[in-house]
Amino acid sequence: EPEVTQTPSHQVTQMGQEVILRCVPISNHLYFYWYRQILGQKVEFLVSFYNNEISEKSEIFDDQFSVERPDGSNFTLKIRSTKLEDSAMYFCASSGDGTAVGPQHFGDGTRLSIL
Amino acid sequence: KNEVEQSPQNLTAQEGEFITINCSYSVGISALHWLQQHPGGGIVSLFMLSSGKKKHGRLIATINIQEKHSSLHITASHPRDSAVYICAARYNTDKLIFGTGTRLQVFP
């Protein structure tokens, strides 16, 4: 069964550094998402992306965050200048094969640790 | 405000027991998702439903639109069912709004 893959599985970065989290969504999906989960808290929506543009973003997704689909297969989340509070598990998801939005399929997540 | 509430927060069971996890939401959802999160953190989609009932193996999900309530049932529970079960609602956009999850432990 096709799956969403995320790399790296764990990223450790110094505060203030830029970090890029990478995702390869399911190949025929059209809708892409990033969510995050701070340790011990519930999963929170960050951003959705469709037709090469952001369709919705949350209050968390400020100017330090950006997303890109550079080559038709990868979907990346960039944090420009990381803060301690960015430490969390980041999940990529994809959905929608063109007939319906459908269920979202999640990757295994990238655990981001900011020191 | 669009929110999702789950109960119980924690649930322990003996192997073989019938499990029920509850989820309530605000009016106006377009779909309700049930997901499973393993100890390593990965999230697996179990069901997406907007009405009625769905079944997959020992898992059953139901939704009552009038009462704004959904349940996830596990029949003949097994230790390998131990995980966090999360309900998430889709309202008028594509994003999912997550509940806090129910941590289930099934003991042999």
Side-chain angles (χ1 to χ4, degrees), chain A:
Chain A
E1 186 176 318
E3 56 183 32
V4 176
T5 56
Q6 288 186 243
T7 54
S9 56
H10 192 188
Q11 173 83 46
V12 181
T13 302
Q14 291 286 337
M15 187 172 62
Q17 296 294 306
E18 175 183 286
V19 67
I20 297 176
L21 310 183
R22 302 182 192 279
C23 170
V24 179
I26 293 173
S27 62
N28 63 341
H29 280 182
L30 303 174
Y31 300 84
F32 313 109
Y33 313 86
W34 283 101
Y35 294 88
R36 79 169 186 192
Q37 185 178 33
I38 294 170
L39 188 64
Q41 297 186 22
K42 62 184 177 182
V43 178
E44 303 172 284
F45 169 78
L46 291 178
V47 66
S48 57
F49 191 87
Y50 170 72
N51 200 26
N52 281 320
E53 59 183 27
I54 290 173
S55 46
E56 187 175 1
K57 59 183 181 180
S58 72
E59 290 174 356
I60 304 166
F61 195 90
D62 61 21
D63 292 344
Q64 294 300 311
F65 290 85
S66 62
V67 290
E68 204 175 36
R69 189 157 160 79
D71 56 13
S73 62
N74 291 284
F75 180 50
T76 61
L77 174 70
K78 183 195 289 186
I79 309 175
R80 207 180 333 271
S81 177
T82 49
K83 307 184 197 61
L84 293 175
E85 54 264 36
D86 293 327
S87 295
M89 184 78 111
Y90 287 80
F91 292 101
C92 172
S94 70
S95 71
D97 58 4
T99 59
V101 174
Q104 293 182 21
H105 296 256
F106 287 79
D108 285 338
T110 293
R111 185 171 300 281
L112 177 63
S113 301
I114 307 300
L115 303 179

Side-chain angles (χ1 to χ4, degrees), chain B residues 88-108:
Chain B
R90 198 171 80 219
Y91 285 89
N92 54 357
T93 65
D94 296 338
K95 72 181 183 194
L96 294 181
I97 296 176
F98 286 72
T100 51
T102 295
R103 183 175 301 278
L104 172 65
Q105 289 185 289
V106 182
F107 293 99

